[in-house]
Amino acid sequence: MGLFDIFRKKKNNVEPESTTNSESLSESQSETLSQSNSETTTSSALTQPVMEQVGLVDEHEADEWSKALDKKSEAIHDLPESESESESESESESESESESEDEIERNEQQVYDEGLKKSRTGFAERFNRFLANFRTVDEDFFEDLEETLVGADVGFDMAIKISDELREEVKLANAKRKEDVRDVIIKKMVDLYEADGVNEDTQMHFAPNGSTTVILFVGVNGVGKTTTIGKLASKYQQAGKSVLLAAADTFRAGATKQLQEWGERANVPVVAGKEKADPASVVFEAVAKARDKHYDILFVDTAGRLQNNVNLMQELEKMKRIIQREIPDAPHEVLLVLDATTGQNALQQAKLFKDSSDVTGIVLTKMDGTAKGGIVFAIRNEMHLPVKWIGFGEKASDLREFKPEEFVYGLFKELVS
């Protein structure tokens, strides 16, 4: 099943937020469920009909549930009052902890939906303006389409590619309604995006045999590099990994302090040098410490002065040589952090860094801002670099693994009928 087919299936089969939502049940089921929620009894005379009518279990399963509930009710009744209250309090605390965890790890679709709201709105506005002028599929139509796509940060190359391929589409030639035209265009975008991503490696790579994984972060100043490191440090530390940070951006005022603050929040140590110190010396110290003390992951922050600065690229190469001298198969990832709101400028940064630092993946930040969304298509089409992480906000939980299906749905769900 193609990515667009998955998108359409998700679009046409949106699941209710709760399986006990009375609006999604029949009138009799809603009344029964409402009655059961309002009473506190565990009697099987009430529980069994409720479960059967709502359709949660069949008659045999309902009978088994009823017997089990009756036994539990008797057991609780026979307990001393203090023990019964203690069990109730324990269950309440467990439910509270579960709700708290659910709040932190929100449903992926909901996260993408909320995070892409501005991008989705911007895309819809551009396409609606384009379609408002639609009369027939002619040369002017294709020129307007290309201009719309470029304006949405899809990139010039992909805009032309989409336009050229749509000229050959019989379905587009026969489209009469604006909605049909829109659906054909978006399907072509998604299909090309999926085709460009064949054999794309979106997984994070870690060192074998429990040795230290080294992940190098590159990118210009202001894109959210240090913040991204802090969020990932928190994420992996909470997953049970021992994490160490290296503050190798020694030239930007406040960069080390900012990373140390993130380290304190995540309870992760930071190796730092003096201001204006040689970044390579900080990296050497951090790698040695990570190796000798058997840290699972070392995140290395780097300077981001002018992406085309020859000295900066030489510094990155020096850091990599030092890392490889101590851990031969490192760095295991070189992640380029890009600010999604900068559009085509971010694409130019990706090209320059890819040429000089062996980038293995992209982290797109600030997608919840004024990003147009199309930059994801341009990066895959022109750079063939996988987007591995995407950021939707300031909290550590707002940095998520990139999921193409959720991204496509979150970006286009209000456009495709």
Side-chain angles (χ1 to χ4, degrees):
M1 182 182 293
L3 188 56
F4 189 78
D5 295 324
I6 295 173
F7 165 67
R8 291 298 293 269
K9 184 177 181 180
K10 185 176 293 189
K11 170 75 175 178
N12 296 324
N13 295 278
V14 178
E15 297 179 358
E17 292 184 4
S18 172
T19 55
T20 59
N21 189 331
S22 61
E23 292 180 1
S24 65
L25 304 175
S26 67
E27 184 175 347
S28 62
Q29 290 173 337
S30 297
E31 290 177 357
T32 305
L33 192 58
S34 174
Q35 180 182 1
S36 70
N37 288 337
S38 65
E39 299 183 13
T40 58
T41 179
T42 58
S43 169
S44 61
L46 172 63
T47 306
Q48 181 171 337
V50 170
M51 290 190 291
E52 289 179 9
Q53 290 187 48
V54 175
L56 294 178
V57 297
D58 59 25
E59 183 177 353
H60 174 71
E61 290 174 319
D63 185 57
E64 293 298 320
W65 270 89
S66 299
K67 291 177 181 178
L69 286 170
D70 285 341
K71 289 181 179 180
K72 183 174 182 180
S73 179
E74 292 173 4
I76 293 175
H77 180 75
D78 293 339
L79 285 174
E81 184 176 347
S82 59
E83 291 186 25
S84 178
E85 289 177 355
S86 176
E87 180 176 327
S88 176
E89 290 175 2
S90 177
E91 290 178 355
S92 177
E93 290 176 2
S94 177
E95 289 175 2
S96 177
E97 289 176 3
S98 176
E99 290 173 1
S100 178
E101 290 175 4
D102 289 342
E103 183 179 353
I104 294 174
E105 294 298 328
R106 292 170 292 172
N107 177 277
E108 288 295 302
Q109 185 173 313
Q110 181 183 357
V111 172
Y112 273 76
D113 184 34
E114 294 174 359
L116 291 169
K117 184 175 182 180
K118 290 184 179 179
S119 292
R120 181 169 60 247
T121 300
F123 241 108
E125 289 176 352
R126 286 179 179 277
F127 268 90
N128 288 335
R129 286 198 300 269
F130 162 69
L131 291 170
N133 298 322
F134 171 72
R135 297 294 179 271
T136 184
V137 179
D138 54 17
E139 192 59 35
D140 289 340
F141 168 87
F142 288 108
E143 289 182 4
D144 290 345
L145 172 61
E146 291 165 9
E147 183 179 340
T148 300
L149 293 174
V150 170
D153 281 342
V154 166
F156 180 78
D157 290 349
M158 189 169 187
I160 297 300
K161 188 175 182 180
I162 291 171
S163 178
D164 288 345
E165 292 203 14
L166 284 172
R167 292 173 192 270
E168 308 300 324
E169 288 279 351
V170 176
K171 187 175 180 180
L172 181 58
N174 295 330
K176 303 300 181 185
R177 300 189 310 147
K178 294 180 180 180
E179 293 80 3
D180 296 332
V181 173
R182 180 190 61 201
D183 287 1
V184 173
I185 293 171
I186 293 177
K187 183 179 187 306
K188 177 57 64 177
M189 289 180 65
V190 174
D191 287 347
L192 287 175
Y193 174 69
E194 184 176 21
D196 287 333
V198 173
N199 298 323
E200 187 176 76
D201 184 5
T202 61
Q203 298 298 313
M204 290 288 287
H205 295 277
F206 297 88
N209 304 321
S211 58
T212 301
T213 296
V214 180
I215 301 178
L216 191 66
F217 289 80
V218 299
V220 302
N221 289 337
V223 295
K225 194 161 65 265
T226 305
T227 299
T228 296
I229 294 172
K231 291 178 179 179
L232 283 175
S234 177
K235 188 177 293 288
Y236 282 108
Q237 194 270 346
Q238 290 179 9
K241 301 292 184 181
S242 56
V243 180
L244 181 66
L245 307 182
D249 182 359
T250 59
F251 295 96
R252 182 170 63 88
T256 297
K257 183 178 179 181
Q258 183 183 4
L259 192 65
Q260 288 172 330
E261 289 175 352
W262 273 105
E264 289 177 4
R265 291 185 209 174
N267 194 27
V268 170
V270 180
V271 175
K274 296 180 179 179
E275 188 175 348
K276 306 297 183 183
D278 181 4
S281 66
V282 176
V283 172
F284 173 77
E285 182 182 348
V287 172
K289 180 176 180 178
R291 182 199 57 209
D292 296 343
K293 295 187 178 295
H294 306 291
Y295 280 91
D296 293 319
I297 305 174
L298 169 63
F299 291 126
V300 181
D301 192 10
T302 65
R305 301 162 298 152
L306 298 179
Q307 66 270 25
N308 59 350
N309 188 312
V310 175
N311 291 334
L312 172 59
M313 299 309 173
Q314 290 176 343
E315 286 170 6
L316 292 175
E317 284 298 323
K318 184 178 179 181
M319 289 181 199
K320 286 172 62 178
R321 288 196 302 271
I322 290 173
I323 292 171
Q324 290 171 349
R325 191 172 64 202
E326 304 301 318
I327 304 177
D329 60 339
H332 303 89
E333 292 279 1
V334 179
L335 299 181
L336 171 60
V337 183
L338 299 174
D339 180 347
T341 65
T342 61
Q344 293 304 298
N345 190 33
L347 188 61
Q348 294 304 315
Q349 293 171 25
K351 291 178 180 178
L352 289 164
F353 274 99
K354 183 183 180 183
D355 291 340
S356 60
S357 53
D358 299 323
V359 174
T360 59
I362 301 285
V363 180
L364 270 180
T365 64
K366 308 178 187 180
M367 279 300 301
D368 59 320
T370 57
K372 299 167 188 174
I375 189 63
V376 172
F377 294 83
I379 288 172
R380 178 180 277 188
N381 177 252
E382 297 186 35
M383 304 303 303
H384 299 289
L385 283 172
V387 176
K388 297 196 174 186
W389 297 90
I390 187 167
F392 294 115
E394 295 299 321
K395 296 183 294 184
S397 59
D398 290 326
L399 183 68
R400 309 294 256 206
E401 291 183 33
F402 180 71
K403 298 184 181 299
E405 297 89 351
E406 300 298 350
F407 176 81
V408 167
Y409 180 73
L411 189 62
F412 292 131
K413 72 168 192 171
E414 293 176 1
L415 279 173
V416 176
S417 55

